[in-house]
Amino acid sequence: MRHVLVIKMDTVRANDSARAGKLGETIGAILAEQKPEAVYFTEIDGVRTGIMIIDIPTAADIPGIAEPWYLAFDANIGFHPTMVPVDLEKAGPAIAAAVEAYG
């Protein structure tokens, strides 16, 4: 299932990595392993943040995605299941059933 991950890196850990010349190398290694569909870097709440779109087939795959970020950067990660328009179209009957039952 496709997820949007919001990865907030601890500032002290990320600064230490940057000072050691390892920030880009470490992020690059993690991304090479995880092969996200897309990734963007920004700040949220004043913190270095990555926003990643990635397919996570099963719940058992979550630790393999999260642990590198936790270990390298003491990251705070939010996992958000998400849909593309085709998925939303496929969900149409379930939405209609909910409207019928509860709307």
Side-chain angles (χ1 to χ4, degrees):
M1 171 182 268
R2 183 179 283 114
H3 285 73
V4 173
L5 272 62
V6 178
I7 304 159
K8 293 182 173 183
M9 296 175 241
D10 176 76
T11 299
V12 172
R13 288 288 295 271
N15 283 350
D16 289 346
S17 182
R19 287 185 185 107
K22 301 282 188 179
L23 182 66
E25 179 182 329
T26 302
I27 290 172
I30 294 169
L31 295 176
E33 288 177 9
Q34 296 184 351
K35 297 175 179 55
E37 183 178 318
V39 64
Y40 303 93
F41 294 94
T42 187
E43 69 74 39
I44 296 178
D45 300 325
V47 177
R48 286 182 183 94
T49 302
I51 299 171
M52 185 163 71
I53 313 298
I54 190 166
D55 182 53
I56 303 177
T58 71
D61 297 309
I62 291 172
I65 301 297
E67 290 301 328
W69 297 103
Y70 292 147
L71 293 168
F73 300 110
D74 265 344
N76 179 332
I77 305 174
F79 287 81
H80 307 278
T82 192
M83 296 182 284
V84 294
V86 170
D87 299 324
L88 186 58
E89 188 175 313
K90 289 178 185 175
I95 294 169
V99 168
E100 182 67 29
Y102 304 104

